[in-house]
Amino acid sequence: MALKIANIKIKGYNKNMIYTIGYAGVTIDRFVQILKNMKISLLIDVRSVPKSQYFYQFNNNLLSRILANVDIKYENWKDEFGARQDNLNFYTDNILDYGKFAKSQQFQSGISKIKELKNRGENICLMCAEIDPINCHRAILCGKEISANGINITHIIAKRNGETYIENQKDFEKRLLQTTKVNNLSEAYLKQNKKIGYKLT
């Protein structure tokens, strides 16, 4: 079950942990404060188009400058982890197939870079737009595969009403099973992939 936190803080760097967060509806000040409280040193933007129509402060150029002012590095990994890909071989029935894409050289290159960055001491958070990780490829694709490579995932859920929760991968997957109403975790991931995956027009 997700844990409600008034002022999230961690005690130090965890070599075996990666965080995720969605920014939709969160003020930039609150967003930055959450990252600072979690001692994030590197924010990896997994948006294929690193801009926001409604939250301009999360456009990549401006966001990178804002984060630089608080000593947090910013990188966009649209090639490695983006939800929209140009290669048609990654699609099944016109939907980006997370299983296929996860096996690609570019995605696996991202996994290798994650491991290298963690070994160098970076405290990493993956960022996309959606508030709930169940509705975002940062969890259904990236979180699933990173977790399978032995790195723990913690999802930060910052809601519009000001409440903030953290949810570990085990609790996330329990909620995913409940949400998709299936009993098999692989089937649950596949069902959610079909629901939220990028669709070719």
Side-chain angles (χ1 to χ4, degrees):
M1 187 174 185
L3 179 64
K4 181 179 176 181
I5 301 292
N7 187 20
I8 297 177
K9 288 185 180 294
I10 59 171
K11 294 182 178 179
Y13 171 70
N14 187 334
K15 185 177 180 179
N16 199 39
M17 181 70 71
I18 281 183
Y19 300 89
T20 86
I21 192 170
Y23 66 81
V26 181
T27 65
I28 189 64
D29 290 341
R30 181 176 169 219
F31 182 83
V32 170
Q33 190 59 54
I34 290 171
L35 297 184
K36 288 172 63 179
N37 288 345
M38 301 300 287
K39 295 182 168 50
I40 300 302
S41 64
L42 172 62
L43 184 75
I44 296 177
D45 184 349
V46 298
R47 294 175 295 175
S48 293
V49 181
K51 298 182 183 301
S52 173
Q53 182 178 356
Y54 302 105
F55 308 107
Y56 73 94
Q57 289 175 309
F58 292 92
N59 290 350
N60 56 332
N61 291 337
L62 182 53
L63 181 59
S64 63
R65 294 198 299 270
I66 291 171
L67 293 178
N69 288 333
V70 292
D71 297 320
I72 298 175
K73 295 182 286 292
Y74 167 92
E75 295 180 7
N76 175 253
W77 286 23
K78 63 180 181 178
D79 293 332
E80 295 88 346
F81 290 163
R84 303 181 187 184
Q85 296 295 323
D86 294 331
N87 190 332
L88 297 181
N89 292 326
F90 299 149
Y91 290 79
T92 299
D93 297 328
N94 288 330
I95 299 173
L96 184 71
D97 187 321
Y98 294 167
K100 288 181 180 179
F101 181 48
K103 295 175 183 176
S104 69
Q105 182 178 358
Q106 65 198 73
F107 188 91
Q108 289 300 316
S109 172
I111 294 291
S112 296
K113 288 198 294 183
I114 287 284
K115 293 178 178 178
E116 180 182 347
L117 288 164
K118 292 300 291 179
N119 286 334
R120 281 167 26 193
E122 297 287 1
N123 197 29
I124 298 170
C125 184
L126 306 183
M127 182 200 79
C128 202
E130 289 77 5
I131 295 171
D132 190 341
I134 276 183
N135 297 321
C136 187
H137 83 288
R138 74 177 186 274
I140 303 301
L141 168 60
C142 303
K144 175 180 180 289
E145 298 300 330
I146 291 170
S147 179
N149 276 268
I151 299 175
N152 295 324
I153 301 291
T154 293
H155 303 287
I156 305 167
I157 305 172
K159 295 193 172 184
R160 290 188 178 95
N161 63 6
E163 293 178 346
T164 305
Y165 298 81
I166 57 173
E167 183 176 54
N168 63 37
Q169 186 70 2
K170 182 177 180 181
D171 287 338
F172 167 79
E173 290 182 338
K174 286 180 182 177
R175 193 161 62 89
L176 177 63
L177 287 169
Q178 293 170 350
T179 300
T180 56
K181 298 179 181 179
V182 298
N183 296 319
N184 180 278
L185 192 56
S186 295
E187 185 181 344
Y189 273 110
L190 179 59
K191 185 174 181 179
Q192 198 66 1
N193 177 178
K194 291 179 179 178
K195 179 181 179 180
I196 70 170
Y198 176 70
K199 298 174 179 62
L200 296 173
T201 55

